[in-house]
Amino acid sequence: TPMLEVAGLRHTYGSGPTAHTAVQNLTFEVATGELACIVGPSGCGKSTLLRCIAGLIKPSAGTVSLHGDKIDRTPEDLAVVFQDYSRSLFPWLSVRGNVEFPLRSRGVSRADRRKRAAEALEWVGLSGAGAKYPWQLSGGMQQRVSIARALACQPSLLLMDEPFASVDAQTRFELEDLLLRVRHEHESTVLLVTHDIDESVYLGDRVLVLSKSPASIVADLTVDLPAQ
Ligand code: ADP
Ligand code: ADP
């Protein structure tokens, strides 16, 4: 069974004359260990698709399955990184506290939370920053914390919604390379949404191209790199 299976997905916001169909006719699978990028123009429905997969909104039609199980709420073995790091971290928690936070609700013991947070912060190059608060960090560093928090959950599937769109170019390159490194070490399955086709080809094993809204898949490309 594929890690992720999206079948006949459609989502319409609102109803009656103001109804707006954001995505329609979406059917695709993501295999275990794959890094798939979804690319399409701004406003085409990428975030809507990701919210449906994350169980944050209920699609109007179609199904989303994770390891063959239909999802109707946010599953625990899924983690999401959003574009807007400034709203995704809790300002009253330290960096370490932020990374440990989702592990609490997953019932991870205190000792293991410490260990996993330390590990994840090391991956993103923030070993020394655990005691700092988000506001003491640059935007790029805050986004690293968001990524560390997602990775610490050791998700089967990592969803990323324009995760590098609000950081400067240098930080973006660093974070992209970090993602490529970490996903290889952990054999993570990643679904990353971007409006940047350059980024999608740089990162993805596979690139799904969406049309303008209402989005449907217009191309499904495998990025084949020659053996090094
Ligand atoms: P993308 O992530 O590709 O920029 P979105 O999924 O955010 O696209 O939006 C797709 C379409 O759905 C857009 O036309 C947007 O205006 C509309 N949309 C998004 N969220 C809502 C909402 N909560 N209510 C109504 N329309 C929405
Ligand atoms: P090019 O010659 O294709 O313009 P650069 O010399 O600007 O490439 O890129 C140097 C390094 O920057 C690359 O090895 C890569 O690490 C990074 N880089 C370039 N383009 C991208 C991109 N679209 N996404 C991520 N990293 C990139």
Side-chain angles (χ1 to χ4, degrees):
T1 38
M3 175 64 66
L4 174 70
E5 206 174 344
V6 173
L9 193 77
R10 175 171 64 80
H11 190 68
T12 302
Y13 289 107
S15 58
T18 60
H20 176 76
T21 296
V23 295
Q24 66 184 7
N25 257 325
L26 288 180
T27 297
F28 64 93
E29 292 179 355
V30 177
T32 303
E34 197 166 44
L35 196 171
C37 288
I38 303 262
V39 65
S42 294
C44 80
K46 301 182 296 297
S47 300
T48 302
L49 166 63
L50 226 59
R51 280 183 222 130
C52 289
I53 296 171
L56 298 171
I57 54 178
K58 191 179 176 326
S60 311
T63 57
V64 176
S65 310
L66 211 61
H67 327 276
D69 297 325
K70 278 186 194 156
I71 55 177
D72 45 15
R73 56 182 187 88
T74 306
E76 285 202 341
D77 50 2
L78 183 148
V80 192
V81 174
F82 296 100
Q83 170 177 359
D84 189 358
Y85 53 80
S86 63
R87 285 193 304 175
S88 83
L89 299 177
F90 296 118
W92 60 85
L93 292 178
S94 68
V95 164
R96 188 188 299 117
N98 268 283
V99 176
E100 286 185 19
F101 186 82
L103 301 177
R104 281 171 183 270
S105 62
R106 287 169 164 81
V108 178
S109 74
R110 192 159 185 275
D112 281 349
R113 289 203 301 269
R114 281 278 137 119
K115 192 161 147 266
R116 276 160 68 167
E119 217 174 32
L121 285 170
E122 197 184 317
W123 292 331
V124 301
L126 284 179
S127 286
K132 292 212 158 106
Y133 283 81
W135 49 269
Q136 296 177 293
L137 304 177
S138 68
M141 284 176 161
Q142 290 180 43
Q143 191 61 321
R144 279 170 204 256
V145 178
S146 303
I147 293 169
R149 181 175 57 185
L151 294 173
C153 295
Q154 300 173 354
S156 309
L157 179 64
L158 177 59
L159 299 177
M160 306 182 96
D161 192 356
E162 304 262 11
F164 313 125
S166 11
V167 297
D168 62 86
Q170 181 57 40
T171 305
R172 190 183 119 204
F173 290 169
E174 280 175 34
L175 293 180
E176 285 170 339
D177 288 333
L178 160 81
L179 174 66
L180 291 178
R181 205 159 21 87
V182 168
R183 58 87 53 143
H184 272 123
E185 271 171 43
H186 298 269
E187 295 165 8
S188 318
T189 308
V190 184
L191 184 66
L192 183 145
V193 156
T194 177
H195 64 272
D196 184 344
I197 195 151
D198 191 25
E199 179 171 272
S200 72
V201 177
Y202 184 72
L203 291 175
D205 306 319
R206 178 150 162 243
V207 179
L208 292 157
V209 183
L210 299 186
S211 65
K212 66 185 188 207
S213 189
S216 60
I217 295 168
V218 290
D220 184 345
L221 312 164
T222 301
V223 182
D224 240 335
L225 294 175
Q228 304 242 329

